Amino acid sequence: MIQSMTAYASRTGAEAGTSWNWEMRGVNARGLDIRLRLPDGLDGLEPAIRTALKSALTRGSITLNLRLNRDESSQPLALDEAQLDRVLRALDAVQERAFTIGVTLAQPTAADVLAHRGVTRSQSGEGENTALVAALRDDLQALIADFTAMRATEGAALHKVISGQLDVIAHLVTQAEAAAEARRPEVAQSLRDAMARVLAEVGDVDAARLAQELALIATKQDVTEEIDRLRAHVTAARDMLAADAPAGRKLDFLAQEFNREANTLCSKSQNAALTAVGLELKAVVDQMREQVQNVE
């Protein structure tokens, strides 16, 4: 079953005082384009994400965002001794200056000192980051599973649409064959009229050369090969839709071939009914190609 390149998935989780939110989006692209937005300090996570995505996906423009929210109250505090010394010296200088000009100040408490910016900082050890990265890598697999499930759902909808368009194309090919058969007397009469005009105007004509030219004209108006190729393309497209392997590139190429045959059919028709079928065929092929652009 084919898959769509358009999908969305999100997940949330938490580990040791840190919560996270994943967001993953996919749209169509010629190849696999991965764009990651990750917080700093998560060593080894980016290459793991890229490896996992390349294993699960073959085409699409993928954007993956990860946001972290750390609970600072659960993190151990560490003193910045250099900053603490600077704050204490500044407080001492303030006290001395106040005493000089006769102003009495209350003594600062330890809480007042700790409240100064930079005196304390959250301390996350290397082991905590390692555990967080491991938890994120485990959760990533579930995110990718959700994402590919949506791609499969979208792919099933695409399968239904494209299959319906192929049914319309097959029906139009049958109509084209009938129109081509119906015009045969008209084409034969046209060739006879052309031969009569040549004989009337020229008189002495090489019969072999005349037969050769008439055969060439008949060949240029014959659409049997185009109809046969269109039927073969319909069969090939249905086989691709039924296969498990990614088929987007092949279907896109096949849509171009459909369009080529429809153009040739119109150029050869010289018949209003056959031309009308050819133009309708081109319209359906264009619609199908728009859908095929989203197939992985």
Side-chain angles (χ1 to χ4, degrees):
M1 181 67 71
I2 61 172
Q3 291 202 15
S4 170
M5 286 187 280
T6 302
Y8 173 82
S10 65
R11 284 185 65 84
T12 58
E15 172 73 19
T18 300
S19 61
W20 62 79
N21 175 257
W22 296 101
E23 277 195 350
M24 187 172 174
R25 303 174 186 273
V27 295
N28 62 325
R30 294 183 64 85
L32 181 60
D33 179 23
I34 299 174
R35 302 177 185 182
L36 305 180
R37 297 175 185 171
L38 307 175
D40 295 331
L42 301 176
D43 295 339
L45 183 61
E46 180 173 346
I49 292 175
R50 291 188 179 277
T51 299
L53 291 178
K54 288 177 181 178
S55 298
L57 311 171
T58 59
R59 289 181 69 200
S61 177
I62 310 299
T63 301
L64 188 149
N65 298 330
L66 172 63
R67 291 190 295 272
L68 296 182
N69 183 22
R70 296 182 184 271
D71 182 5
E72 299 294 342
S73 63
S74 67
Q75 302 294 330
L77 292 179
L79 287 176
D80 186 331
E81 294 185 359
Q83 177 67 4
L84 175 60
D85 290 344
R86 286 191 289 269
V87 170
L88 291 175
R89 285 194 296 268
L91 290 172
D92 186 55
V94 170
Q95 290 282 0
E96 288 187 6
R97 181 62 179 169
F99 179 77
T100 300
I101 63 176
V103 176
T104 302
L105 297 178
Q107 290 293 321
T109 66
D112 295 332
V113 176
L114 290 174
H116 281 271
R117 184 176 180 179
V119 173
T120 61
R121 64 178 186 273
S122 296
Q123 185 178 32
S124 0
E126 182 178 345
E128 291 175 351
N129 275 341
T130 301
L132 176 60
V133 169
L136 288 169
R137 291 178 64 172
D138 290 341
D139 200 40
L140 174 65
Q141 299 303 319
L143 177 73
I144 294 175
D146 293 343
F147 185 76
T148 53
M150 184 172 182
R151 280 167 62 110
T153 301
E154 292 290 318
L158 279 176
H159 186 284
K160 184 176 180 180
V161 172
I162 296 172
S163 294
Q165 290 167 335
L166 287 172
D167 290 341
V168 174
I169 290 173
H171 178 66
L172 289 173
V173 171
T174 300
Q175 287 187 343
E177 185 178 36
E181 185 64 30
R183 71 167 189 161
R184 284 187 183 277
E186 178 185 337
V187 172
Q189 184 60 47
S190 175
L191 289 176
R192 286 193 294 268
D193 292 344
M195 183 173 64
R197 284 194 301 271
V198 171
L199 291 174
E201 292 177 6
V202 178
D204 186 16
V205 178
D206 184 348
R209 178 62 183 273
L210 179 59
Q212 183 180 8
E213 291 297 329
L214 291 174
L216 182 61
I217 293 172
T219 300
K220 288 182 177 180
Q221 295 180 347
D222 185 31
V223 295
T224 302
E225 290 186 5
E226 285 71 26
I227 290 173
D228 288 343
R229 281 194 290 267
L230 283 167
R231 282 208 173 98
H233 293 340
V234 169
T235 300
R238 285 172 172 163
D239 290 342
M240 290 176 191
L241 288 178
D244 292 332
R249 292 181 185 275
K250 293 179 180 179
L251 285 170
D252 186 44
F253 173 76
L254 204 54
Q256 297 178 48
E257 293 303 305
F258 271 117
N259 192 59
R260 190 195 313 277
E261 300 302 336
N263 282 333
T264 306
L265 193 68
C266 289
S267 66
K268 284 185 171 185
S269 71
Q270 297 184 10
N271 176 271
L274 186 55
T275 300
V277 174
L279 292 175
E280 191 173 352
L281 186 60
K282 280 173 57 65
V284 178
V285 169
D286 284 342
Q287 293 169 6
M288 185 183 74
R289 192 173 184 190
E290 288 180 5
Q291 300 297 330
V292 166
Q293 299 298 317
N294 288 320
V295 177
E296 183 183 21

